[in-house]
Amino acid sequence: METAQFGAVVIIGLLVLFYGGTFLISTRIGKKDENADAYMTGGNNIGFGISAASMTATWIWAASMYASATSGYTYGISGPIHYGLWGALMILFIYPFGKRIRSVAPKAHTLAEVMYARHGRSSQLMLAGSNVVGSLISLMSNFIAGGVLISLLSPFNFTQGVFAVAAGVLLYTLWSGFRASVLTDFIQVVAMLGAVAVIVPVIFFAAGFPAAFETGAHHLTPQQGNFFSSEAFMNQGAPYIAAVLAYAIGNQTIAQRLFAVKQSLIKPTFVTATIGYGAMVIGVGMLGVLALYIGFEPTGGDLNNLIPEMAATYLSPVLLAVFFIMIVGALSSTADADLCALSSITMTDIYGQAVAGKEKANPRTMLLIGRITMVLATATAVAFASLRLSILDLLVFVGALWGALVFPVLASFYWEKVTSKAFTTSVLAALAVFLPVRFSWIPTDGALGIVVDVLAVIGIGVVLGLMVFGFLGARPAKIVGVLAAAVSAPFAIGSLHEYATLSGSLVAYSVSTVICWAMSVGNNERFDFAVIAQRTGDFDDGSAQASAGRAGVPRPAGVAHGEPGLAASSK
């Protein structure tokens, strides 16, 4: 099959159109509106439309599209369902926990900042460090996606494509930070959803749908042709359920939007993002299923090439340009969120807490540090993008890595007995067990395999119990957790260790949960959660809400520009 390509002038024009437009939008936030808190969280009072669009755009990234299609191509028709459905539901699971987090820390900037107020330095550094690693990997994945796209559709090579995307994202994010990210997200997500609604059906019919699903069935293995494929569930669905729950709780890009949205709008924001994400990602993932049925082979067997090559083969030049903008918008909306997350961590957790201290932190210095962080993070991600690692593998690995943090973090918001020592020990122990299991550094035959299986079964109970806990409380969560472990034990013990990705993730959950609980249950001291709101809050007193209002983000009623005492109105 011959693929269509754009000339250098057309590609440059499309990039200038997209990034130039987003830059012009970001210029609405002028120099006079500079504010450290608004740079990180937009004033903690962003409205429903912008918040829902920003959450959707951040969760829908180029990797979501590429990985969903990869899942469809690898596991058949159930692959995109396992990827998109569970990812969507994880957004939904955020909001009950998010309401609790905002109630105890209404003006925080990062989860690590809250952990510092709750436990001290060690837990803060663990959460901040894991997010630095996660956001750099996410940033690298989006640059890889952009580089692949540009190299396939233009005369430019992969490295030039990576540099073009990195420069474009940095251009409009550097000056205004989070405010620029959320203001551009709305336009980006509307464009992406519209493009998917047109492009996916066009590719399907151009490739011979529905006849292709009859004539091409011989390309599928029995597992790929089975909607209830155990292989798809064990290798894709189950690991992703665990991984995305960890993403939802541990990811700073999500936490940043949680702290930015108006507190009363948390539920509708995340419910809307759930629907938008699921519809778009499952739809694009079906292109991978189509490619499987028609026997489409990506160049060099690199599944990162699958979606761009399908588009280049079956779309007209005009629709191919629309597709190009759609992918660039998807990767940019998440890349700018990663830059904002990294800048917030260095501004708040490194400079604001560890170096200067909250009372002595200079907001102007914070802004400078945030911008320097964005430049350095972009350069680092560009350098590592040359490795061209598998995007799907990166996503699952980072999510599993964060699984070690989920229970200690959530317990710290609900259970007054959790101690700093319990938090630190449980996370380190979970990582020490997760890594050798995930990468098969130790033989899991015989008795050791049984131990891994038992821990993984406990992890199943933890994951399902936490999901129920957010909506129904502790008692139903305990019942579901125990039943889930008991029901799965006869089937899992003896075989679950054969699935390294899944068992590694579940082991991380179980070890961190068991140790954190065991070290905390006997603690007689009770933590006063009211202290968290006192220890977190604005660095730039009184101007965050006003700055956000001038940037196009609503202010609370009755609040004037520059009026002091805004923290009290939220508390």
Side-chain angles (χ1 to χ4, degrees):
M1 302 178 189
E2 293 184 1
T3 58
Q5 282 196 336
F6 294 123
V9 174
V10 174
I11 285 292
I12 292 173
L14 290 173
L15 290 172
V16 170
L17 174 66
F18 178 81
Y19 287 119
T22 51
F23 175 73
L24 289 176
I25 293 172
S26 69
T27 58
R28 290 182 57 192
I29 308 166
K31 184 175 180 179
K32 64 182 180 180
D33 297 314
E34 275 195 316
N35 177 274
D37 298 297
Y39 194 87
M40 292 186 280
T41 57
N44 307 105
N45 201 53
I46 296 179
F48 167 71
I50 293 178
S51 296
S54 183
M55 184 64 246
T56 306
T58 299
W59 205 252
I60 298 175
W61 45 330
S64 298
M65 300 182 186
Y66 284 33
S68 182
T70 296
S71 185
Y73 191 80
T74 305
Y75 301 112
I77 193 168
S78 64
I81 305 297
H82 282 306
Y83 189 95
L85 177 62
W86 302 126
L89 290 179
M90 287 310 108
I91 304 176
L92 186 65
F93 284 126
I94 297 171
Y95 93 76
F97 296 121
K99 291 173 68 175
R100 171 63 180 175
I101 292 170
R102 278 295 296 274
S103 69
V104 300
K107 303 282 284 183
H109 307 86
T110 70
L111 276 177
E113 177 189 12
V114 182
M115 288 300 102
Y116 177 72
R118 175 70 173 87
H119 293 303
R121 187 72 65 207
S122 62
S123 58
Q124 179 194 30
L125 292 177
M126 284 185 175
L127 204 53
S130 68
N131 269 286
V132 168
V133 173
S135 287
L136 283 174
I137 289 177
S138 172
L139 198 59
M140 176 182 68
S141 297
N142 282 288
F143 290 167
I144 289 173
V148 168
L149 180 68
I150 292 174
S151 66
L152 288 175
L153 301 183
S154 77
F156 299 110
N157 60 35
F158 172 79
T159 302
Q160 291 169 328
V162 168
F163 272 97
V165 170
V169 173
L170 188 62
L171 172 70
Y172 73 86
T173 311
L174 183 64
W175 181 254
S176 299
F178 182 79
R179 298 165 297 175
S181 176
V182 296
L183 285 176
T184 55
D185 279 346
F186 183 82
I187 295 175
Q188 290 169 349
V189 78
V190 170
M192 285 190 289
L193 291 171
V196 168
V198 174
I199 287 171
V200 172
V202 168
I203 293 178
F204 259 73
F205 285 106
F209 176 83
F213 279 78
E214 299 175 3
T215 60
H218 65 278
H219 290 121
L220 280 68
T221 66
Q223 282 287 325
Q224 289 173 329
N226 181 8
F227 183 79
F228 298 101
S229 166
S230 60
E231 183 178 323
F233 179 75
M234 295 301 290
N235 288 295
Q236 173 64 62
Y240 202 57
I241 293 172
V244 180
L245 177 60
Y247 262 99
I249 302 304
N251 193 333
Q252 171 59 20
T253 63
I254 307 303
Q256 203 162 9
R257 279 146 186 80
L258 173 63
F259 289 127
V261 65
K262 189 175 181 181
Q263 201 162 341
S264 61
L265 297 175
I266 291 175
K267 180 177 179 179
T269 293
F270 285 94
V271 170
T272 303
T274 298
I275 298 170
Y277 174 90
M280 183 170 178
V281 170
I282 293 174
V284 174
M286 286 301 171
L287 294 179
V289 178
L290 176 63
L292 179 63
Y293 270 90
I294 64 177
F296 192 95
E297 293 286 344
T299 301
D302 186 353
L303 294 180
N304 289 340
N305 296 335
L306 183 61
I307 289 296
E309 289 187 338
M310 285 283 287
T313 301
Y314 294 108
L315 293 178
S316 66
V318 173
L319 286 179
L320 189 59
V322 174
F323 167 82
F324 180 84
I325 293 296
M326 177 187 77
I327 297 295
V328 171
L331 66 89
S332 298
S333 64
T334 306
D336 63 36
D338 287 317
L339 290 178
C340 292
L342 288 166
S343 66
S344 293
I345 290 171
T346 55
M347 291 168 72
T348 299
D349 298 304
I350 297 177
Y351 172 76
Q353 296 281 9
V355 177
K358 188 175 184 304
E359 301 301 325
K360 297 181 180 179
N362 187 324
R364 296 290 177 182
T365 303
M366 294 182 77
L367 285 167
L368 176 61
I369 290 172
R371 290 175 179 136
I372 292 174
T373 299
M374 287 191 180
V375 174
L376 293 177
T378 301
T380 303
V382 166
F384 281 103
S386 62
L387 299 175
R388 299 187 71 164
L389 301 174
S390 168
I391 292 174
L392 183 59
D393 288 345
L394 289 174
L395 292 179
V396 176
F397 170 72
V398 174
L401 192 64
W402 272 329
L405 287 159
V406 174
F407 182 84
V409 168
L410 288 179
S412 297
F413 281 102
Y414 290 89
W415 195 20
E416 66 276 9
K417 288 189 173 186
V418 179
T419 65
S420 175
K421 188 176 181 180
F423 187 105
T424 303
T425 304
S426 62
V427 172
L428 291 178
L431 291 177
V433 177
F434 161 74
L435 291 172
V437 172
R438 171 63 181 84
F439 294 106
S440 303
W441 293 345
I442 56 174
T444 52
D445 298 330
L448 194 56
I450 299 299
V451 172
V452 171
D453 289 343
V454 171
L455 290 174
V457 165
I458 296 173
I460 293 173
V462 171
V463 171
L464 296 180
L466 287 175
M467 292 178 179
V468 173
F469 172 72
F471 291 97
L472 301 178
R475 186 177 180 82
K478 293 175 182 177
I479 294 173
V480 169
V482 171
L483 288 177
V487 170
S488 62
F491 306 97
I493 296 177
S495 62
L496 194 55
H497 61 270
E498 297 173 4
Y499 301 91
T501 301
L502 175 58
S503 57
S505 180
L506 292 174
V507 163
Y509 275 94
S510 64
V511 171
S512 62
T513 300
V514 170
I515 293 178
C516 186
W517 175 83
M519 293 183 66
S520 301
V521 69
N523 181 27
N524 294 322
E525 296 183 7
R526 299 292 186 270
F527 179 79
D528 182 6
F529 286 103
V531 172
I532 294 179
Q534 300 169 9
R535 294 176 179 174
T536 59
D538 290 344
F539 288 94
D540 211 337
D541 289 339
S543 55
Q545 301 282 8
S547 176
R550 289 193 293 272
V553 179
R555 296 186 308 275
V559 177
H561 292 306
E563 182 178 341
L566 296 178
S569 67
S570 298
K571 297 173 183 176

